[in-house]
Amino acid sequence: LHKKRRIIVAGSTSNFVFFIVFAILMFAASIGLSALSSHAQATTVMEGSAAAGLLGAGSVIYAVNGQEIRSAEEFYEKTSLGSGFLKAGNKTGFTPFSKIVILAVAKGGSSDGKIQVGANVSAINGASVYSLNDVKKALADKKEGDSVGIKLENGSSTSIVLGKNSLMGVSLAAVPVINAKTVPLAGFDWLYALVELLGNIFQLTAFLNLALALTNMLPILITDGQQLIYFELRDKLGRKREKLAGRISLALGAAFALMMAANLLRWLKII
């Protein structure tokens, strides 16, 4: 039994090992990209936004909230809070980094007929909102049945009554005001592109190995996890009840597979 157990888990173990190896290579590639980065450069800036008064497409982004920016990744990380001080070109100023946009309005919900899809929310209960985290903070002390004031970017205002679970009855998204790209060090464009490609390959390979390892150890039909259950049951029940052990392991595998399928369908909102 112990020998068979070792053979069965060997495949998943090798997947875990490969995951660790490629995760390390992915980390090394990210360090390489950081070393080869010169600066971040704006590619697009939303018209009419406060940011448009500070920079335009092609402007070099030097710092966000006093912290130096050398890549697009660093820029998006530092601007995730939604607003802050931006130094770009020869200008420095406060600007929102994203806008809260209404993606959908629930039919019959508290916002139905009051807020239109595509509208930009500028404030909730008097507090400016530039990120989804800002929205959560503005609604943190509110509960079902409370009235909430909504101010839109076009200057109009409305109030809605929060529904179940303190929901506004809308789907929101934080849309970036500034899009940026990383500019490699002069003369190292080809090397940056190569390291970036390798990093993406390492990331995909690491993910696939981890997914295979975890999936293979689940007690689903035809996986190593189901085989382990079978051999454990056969060891406990004895060889005379080998068929019973097989039926039980198959039943458990089928039940687990159905459970996973049902949860997937619910997640996809099919059932």
Short mmCIF file of all heavy atoms in Angstrom, two decimals, residues 7 29 48 73 91 134 154 157 171 179 200 216 230 233 240 252 265:
data_model
loop_
_atom_site.label_atom_id
_atom_site.label_comp_id
_atom_site.label_asym_id
_atom_site.label_seq_id
_atom_site.Cartn_x
_atom_site.Cartn_y
_atom_site.Cartn_z
N ILE A 7 3.77 5.97 -5.42
CA ILE A 7 3.70 6.05 -6.89
C ILE A 7 2.60 6.99 -7.33
O ILE A 7 2.77 7.80 -8.25
CB ILE A 7 3.48 4.64 -7.49
CG1 ILE A 7 4.70 3.75 -7.24
CG2 ILE A 7 3.19 4.74 -8.99
CD1 ILE A 7 4.50 2.30 -7.63
N ALA A 29 12.43 36.90 -13.28
CA ALA A 29 12.11 37.68 -14.49
C ALA A 29 11.55 39.05 -14.11
O ALA A 29 11.86 40.06 -14.75
CB ALA A 29 11.12 36.92 -15.36
N GLY A 48 -11.03 65.89 -20.43
CA GLY A 48 -11.88 66.56 -19.46
C GLY A 48 -11.57 66.24 -18.02
O GLY A 48 -12.15 66.83 -17.10
N GLU A 73 3.73 49.05 -14.06
CA GLU A 73 3.25 48.23 -12.94
C GLU A 73 3.29 49.03 -11.64
O GLU A 73 2.36 49.00 -10.83
CB GLU A 73 4.09 46.95 -12.80
CG GLU A 73 3.87 45.92 -13.88
CD GLU A 73 4.48 46.33 -15.23
OE1 GLU A 73 5.39 47.20 -15.24
OE2 GLU A 73 4.04 45.79 -16.25
N LYS A 91 5.04 69.30 -14.34
CA LYS A 91 3.90 69.69 -13.51
C LYS A 91 3.66 68.70 -12.39
O LYS A 91 3.93 67.51 -12.51
CB LYS A 91 2.64 69.80 -14.37
CG LYS A 91 2.68 70.90 -15.43
CD LYS A 91 1.38 70.96 -16.19
CE LYS A 91 1.40 72.07 -17.25
NZ LYS A 91 0.13 72.11 -17.99
N ASP A 134 -13.15 53.52 -1.96
CA ASP A 134 -13.81 54.74 -1.49
C ASP A 134 -15.31 54.53 -1.34
O ASP A 134 -15.93 55.02 -0.39
CB ASP A 134 -13.56 55.89 -2.48
CG ASP A 134 -12.14 56.41 -2.44
OD1 ASP A 134 -11.43 56.14 -1.46
OD2 ASP A 134 -11.73 57.07 -3.41
N ASN A 154 -21.91 64.86 -13.80
CA ASN A 154 -22.56 65.91 -14.60
C ASN A 154 -23.23 66.98 -13.75
O ASN A 154 -23.86 67.91 -14.25
CB ASN A 154 -23.59 65.29 -15.56
CG ASN A 154 -24.71 64.55 -14.82
OD1 ASN A 154 -24.86 64.68 -13.61
ND2 ASN A 154 -25.47 63.76 -15.56
N SER A 157 -27.82 65.28 -8.80
CA SER A 157 -27.80 64.51 -7.56
C SER A 157 -29.10 63.74 -7.39
O SER A 157 -30.14 64.13 -7.93
CB SER A 157 -27.59 65.43 -6.35
OG SER A 157 -26.38 66.13 -6.45
N SER A 171 -24.07 47.92 -10.56
CA SER A 171 -22.74 47.33 -10.71
C SER A 171 -21.79 48.47 -11.04
O SER A 171 -22.05 49.27 -11.94
CB SER A 171 -22.73 46.29 -11.84
OG SER A 171 -23.53 45.19 -11.50
N ASN A 179 -3.74 55.77 -18.67
CA ASN A 179 -3.14 54.49 -19.03
C ASN A 179 -1.66 54.73 -19.30
O ASN A 179 -1.28 55.76 -19.86
CB ASN A 179 -3.82 53.89 -20.25
CG ASN A 179 -5.22 53.40 -19.93
OD1 ASN A 179 -5.42 52.61 -19.03
ND2 ASN A 179 -6.21 53.89 -20.67
N ASN A 200 6.21 35.80 -18.83
CA ASN A 200 4.83 35.35 -19.09
C ASN A 200 4.76 33.83 -19.25
O ASN A 200 3.81 33.19 -18.78
CB ASN A 200 4.29 36.02 -20.35
CG ASN A 200 4.03 37.51 -20.15
OD1 ASN A 200 3.77 37.95 -19.03
ND2 ASN A 200 4.12 38.29 -21.22
N ASN A 216 -5.34 17.01 -9.48
CA ASN A 216 -5.02 15.59 -9.45
C ASN A 216 -5.17 14.99 -8.05
O ASN A 216 -5.37 13.78 -7.91
CB ASN A 216 -3.59 15.36 -9.96
CG ASN A 216 -3.47 14.03 -10.69
OD1 ASN A 216 -4.46 13.46 -11.14
ND2 ASN A 216 -2.26 13.54 -10.80
N TYR A 230 -9.43 4.75 -2.97
CA TYR A 230 -9.70 3.34 -3.28
C TYR A 230 -8.74 2.42 -2.55
O TYR A 230 -9.16 1.45 -1.89
CB TYR A 230 -9.61 3.11 -4.79
CG TYR A 230 -9.53 1.65 -5.17
CD1 TYR A 230 -10.62 0.80 -4.99
CD2 TYR A 230 -8.35 1.11 -5.67
CE1 TYR A 230 -10.54 -0.54 -5.31
CE2 TYR A 230 -8.25 -0.23 -6.00
CZ TYR A 230 -9.36 -1.06 -5.81
OH TYR A 230 -9.27 -2.39 -6.12
N LEU A 233 -9.35 2.42 1.22
CA LEU A 233 -10.55 1.63 1.56
C LEU A 233 -10.28 0.14 1.42
O LEU A 233 -10.72 -0.66 2.25
CB LEU A 233 -11.72 2.04 0.65
CG LEU A 233 -12.38 3.38 0.96
CD1 LEU A 233 -13.37 3.75 -0.13
CD2 LEU A 233 -13.10 3.32 2.31
N LYS A 240 -11.13 -9.16 0.26
CA LYS A 240 -12.40 -9.81 -0.04
C LYS A 240 -13.50 -8.79 -0.40
O LYS A 240 -14.48 -9.13 -1.05
CB LYS A 240 -12.85 -10.66 1.16
CG LYS A 240 -11.96 -11.88 1.39
CD LYS A 240 -12.49 -12.71 2.53
CE LYS A 240 -11.65 -13.96 2.75
NZ LYS A 240 -12.15 -14.79 3.88
N LEU A 252 -17.94 8.25 -4.16
CA LEU A 252 -17.41 9.48 -3.55
C LEU A 252 -16.86 10.42 -4.62
O LEU A 252 -17.07 11.64 -4.57
CB LEU A 252 -16.32 9.14 -2.53
CG LEU A 252 -16.78 8.48 -1.23
CD1 LEU A 252 -15.59 8.04 -0.40
CD2 LEU A 252 -17.64 9.46 -0.43
N LEU A 265 -21.59 25.98 -11.85
CA LEU A 265 -22.77 26.49 -12.55
C LEU A 265 -23.39 27.67 -11.80
O LEU A 265 -23.85 28.63 -12.40
CB LEU A 265 -23.80 25.38 -12.74
CG LEU A 265 -23.40 24.26 -13.72
CD1 LEU A 265 -24.43 23.15 -13.70
CD2 LEU A 265 -23.24 24.82 -15.13
#
